[in-house]
């Protein structure tokens, strides 16, 4: 793993830190490769149930490294996962963004790839690509209208201006707003609450929430049955019922 992406675990939680604070954690190829490897580890390691992505040095991420793009034509995309090793194929397991400072351009698109967002009150979010002659093509234009009303998504995309975290929370983009410096701590608290639940049921719930946006009305319940059939037959479902009846904490095995 490159030093530009740092990993550590807190129990069943994988914390991924973009570590280029001198450039506000702008994404270069090394970062994209590091994040892609981290997402593979999160999905592939049964001991990991939840992921958190954050940035070092008081900022989340300022987007693509424009110097590398301008002078070398480098776009930090990974085959199969897209920009930043994440945006086209987020992990199957829950991923939380812990945001301090700037989360703009590709950095905001990383946030939009996550399932939950914890932000400092002094954080800010935006898609300024149009100010640089670019388009927010790492999922921002497609995901943003599913998070906020279309008119507000248009405003952010066409003006290219950033909004403060307080406004982002009012619009529904942020789950938890915290004091500066506390975003990662609060994200860990959320991750541990998710981790207390059955991991297979959590991952399947995320899958249905994400996938069902494109399901036709007439097929929704059948497609949901296909996804949930394995849950009803799982050992964890039996354990959950037994733990409830016996008034004890469930012990999940993930199958």
């Amino acid at each position: 793993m490159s030093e530009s992406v740092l990993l550590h675990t807190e129990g069943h939680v994988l914390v991924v830190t973009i570590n280029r604070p001198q450039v506000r954690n702008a994404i270069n190829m090394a970062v994209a490769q590091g994040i892609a490897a981290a997402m593979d580890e999160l999905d592939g390691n049964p001991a990991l149930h939840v992921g958190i992505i954050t940035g070092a040095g008081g900022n989340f991420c300022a987007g693509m490294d424009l110097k590398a793009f301008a002078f070398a034509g480098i776009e930090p995309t990974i085959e199969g996962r897209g920009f930043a090793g994440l945006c086209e194929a987020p992990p199957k397991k829950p991923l939380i963004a812990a945001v301090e400072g700037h989360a703009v351009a590709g950095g905001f698109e990383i946030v939009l790839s996550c399932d939950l967002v914890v932000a400092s009150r002094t954080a800010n979010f935006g898609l300024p690509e149009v100010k640089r002659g670019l388009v927010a093509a790492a999922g921002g234009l497609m995901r943003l209208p599913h998070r906020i009303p279309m008119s507000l998504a248009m405003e952010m995309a066409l003006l290219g201006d950033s909004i403060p975290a307080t406004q982002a929370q009012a619009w529904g983009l942020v789950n938890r707003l915290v004091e500066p410096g506390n975003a990662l701590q609060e994200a860990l608290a959320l991750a541990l609450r998710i981790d207390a639940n059955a991991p297979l049921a959590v991952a399947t719930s995320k899958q249905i929430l994400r996938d069902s946006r494109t399901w036709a009305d007439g097929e929704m319940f059948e497609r949901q049955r296909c996804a949930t059939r394995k849950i009803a037959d799982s050992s964890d479902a039996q354990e959950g019922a037994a733990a409830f009846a016996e008034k004890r904490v469930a012990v999940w095995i993930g199958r």
Side-chain angles (χ1 to χ4, degrees):
M1 184 67 63
S2 167
E3 291 185 0
S4 59
V5 176
L6 306 178
L7 303 182
H8 77 273
T9 57
E10 299 272 350
H12 299 295
V13 181
L14 178 66
V15 180
V16 182
T17 303
I18 305 169
N19 187 39
R20 300 187 74 213
Q22 71 279 10
V23 289
R24 294 181 177 179
N25 299 315
I27 305 295
N28 62 8
M29 186 57 74
V31 172
Q33 291 169 340
I35 294 175
M39 296 303 102
D40 289 344
E41 173 68 9
L42 175 61
D43 272 343
N45 187 340
L48 297 173
H49 299 162
V50 187
I52 295 173
I53 186 164
T54 192
N59 283 297
F60 183 77
C61 175
M64 180 172 65
D65 189 326
L66 288 178
K67 289 184 179 179
F69 174 73
F71 299 123
I74 296 174
E75 295 186 47
T77 62
I78 302 298
E79 185 175 357
R81 285 210 180 266
F83 175 77
L86 168 63
C87 289
E88 289 184 28
K92 296 177 181 177
K93 297 174 184 177
L95 184 63
I96 303 171
V99 182
E100 303 275 355
H102 296 288
V104 295
F108 186 32
E109 292 178 294
I110 293 173
V111 170
L112 291 171
S113 300
C114 296
D115 304 300
L116 298 175
V117 182
V118 176
S120 159
R121 292 184 182 277
T122 54
N124 59 84
F125 304 85
L127 295 174
E129 280 85 348
V130 292
K131 294 177 180 287
R132 303 289 180 263
L134 299 170
V135 171
L141 300 179
M142 295 179 285
R143 290 191 170 107
L144 191 58
H146 292 289
R147 299 286 187 93
I148 63 177
M150 177 63 80
S151 60
L152 297 178
M154 283 285 188
E155 182 175 336
M156 289 192 73
L158 302 186
L159 295 183
D161 294 337
S162 293
I163 61 170
T166 50
Q167 186 67 68
Q169 186 189 44
W171 287 357
L173 287 167
V174 171
N175 296 87
R176 299 285 189 277
L177 203 60
V178 298
E179 294 305 313
N182 292 336
L184 180 55
Q185 178 183 345
E186 181 65 19
L188 278 167
L190 274 178
L192 292 174
R193 290 179 64 185
I194 294 171
D195 184 44
N197 299 321
L200 189 60
V202 165
T204 301
S205 295
K206 169 179 172 171
Q207 175 193 346
I208 292 169
L209 283 165
R210 293 288 188 177
D211 292 352
S212 62
R213 293 184 305 187
T214 61
W215 292 350
D217 289 349
E219 65 181 9
M220 285 193 303
F221 281 94
E222 180 56 35
R223 296 190 70 165
Q224 180 177 258
R225 273 189 286 273
C226 292
T228 59
R229 192 171 292 122
K230 60 183 178 182
I231 302 298
D233 295 335
S234 70
S235 297
D236 276 355
Q238 296 179 19
E239 167 63 9
F244 175 80
E246 296 165 8
K247 298 181 179 179
R248 60 175 175 80
V249 176
V251 179
W252 312 117
I253 61 174
R255 62 177 187 271

